[in-house]
Amino acid sequence: LDIIMGLLQPTSGEIFCDGSNQSELNREDWLSIFSHVPQSIFLADTSVWKNIGGLGSNVAVDKSRVLNVAELAHVRDDIENFTHGFDTIVGERGVRLSGGQMQRIGIARALYEKSSILVLDEATSAIDPFIEEKIESSLSAINEDITIIKVAHRISTLKSCNIIYKVDGGEIVQSGNYETFFGS
């Protein structure tokens, strides 16, 4: 994923996107097309508003957009039930939140960024399967606007994927859809 996102340069081969070699593109332009949700989410000791819509920036938070992406990530109800709602300070590294809440806030943050490629690296591993299914449904609804790249060990996470690649030893060893791999 680090190579695809341009964080590391490949030691061999090339990466092409829409016919353009990634190495010939402006690095900042390339990086800007990605939103990344890792398994371990970084949260700052600030409000939920800032952790979703303004982390590390002095730009005003678009609160209506934060509410929308929190809904898509199925974390809005949880946040609204906090004593201070979206004004809640999450604590250093999100210590006041559950693992699932942290991951859903990370997904909301990535959706807030409006990138054209969303990279989910075990991004729902701490979320219960019922909520994960709701998130998958939300992501499927916006799937026409963005490309989603998922890394997952939980097979159910891959049901909505158009194409699945099995990687072993750094090589693609099989590709197909969910039915190809797991039947219906």
Side-chain angles (χ1 to χ4, degrees), residues 81-94:
N81 285 322
F82 295 160
T83 303
H84 301 289
F86 281 82
D87 291 317
T88 298
I89 304 299
V90 302
E92 191 71 30
R93 292 177 293 185

Side-chain angles (χ1 to χ4, degrees), residues 33-54:
I33 67 173
F34 293 95
S35 290
H36 179 222
V37 185
Q39 184 173 0
S40 298
I41 304 296
F42 169 79
L43 295 178
D45 189 15
T46 188
S47 72
V48 175
W49 291 116
K50 291 293 277 181
N51 271 289
I52 293 175

Side-chain angles (χ1 to χ4, degrees), residues 116 138-148 162:
S116 51
S138 293
L139 293 177
S140 292
I142 62 168
N143 200 13
E144 294 176 8
D145 298 331
I146 63 174
T147 298
I148 300 173
N162 296 331

Side-chain angles (χ1 to χ4, degrees), residues 24-171:
E24 296 171 359
L25 301 173
N26 178 302
R27 180 171 160 73
E28 286 185 29
D29 289 344
W30 181 261
L31 292 172
S32 73
I33 67 173
F34 293 95
S35 290
H36 179 222
V37 185
Q39 184 173 0
S40 298
I41 304 296
F42 169 79
L43 295 178
D45 189 15
T46 188
S47 72
V48 175
W49 291 116
K50 291 293 277 181
N51 271 289
I52 293 175
L55 198 58
S57 70
N58 294 324
V59 177
V61 173
D62 180 343
K63 290 186 175 183
S64 65
R65 180 145 179 77
V66 168
L67 294 173
N68 182 49
V69 297
E71 186 73 32
L72 290 170
H74 293 275
V75 70
R76 182 174 175 170
D77 289 344
D78 287 27
I79 295 167
E80 288 176 343
N81 285 322
F82 295 160
T83 303
H84 301 289
F86 281 82
D87 291 317
T88 298
I89 304 299
V90 302
E92 191 71 30
R93 292 177 293 185
V95 70
R96 295 187 180 112
L97 305 174
S98 72
Q101 289 168 332
M102 290 174 55
Q103 283 189 319
R104 289 180 285 152
I105 287 173
I107 292 168
R109 179 190 312 156
L111 294 171
Y112 184 89
E113 293 174 8
K114 296 183 181 179
S115 300
S116 51
I117 300 176
L118 176 61
V119 178
L120 303 174
D121 186 2
E122 290 287 346
T124 58
S125 62
I127 299 172
D128 74 65
F130 177 72
I131 298 294
E132 180 185 28
E133 191 173 309
K134 288 183 170 189
I135 293 169
E136 290 297 326
S137 178
S138 293
L139 293 177
S140 292
I142 62 168
N143 200 13
E144 294 176 8
D145 298 331
I146 63 174
T147 298
I148 300 173
I149 299 172
K150 295 180 189 178
V151 172
H153 291 94
R154 190 184 308 169
I155 293 170
S156 62
T157 304
L158 304 174
K159 279 186 177 179
S160 63
C161 295
N162 296 331
I163 188 161
I164 300 169
Y165 296 98
K166 182 177 181 182
V167 178
D168 188 12
E171 301 286 328

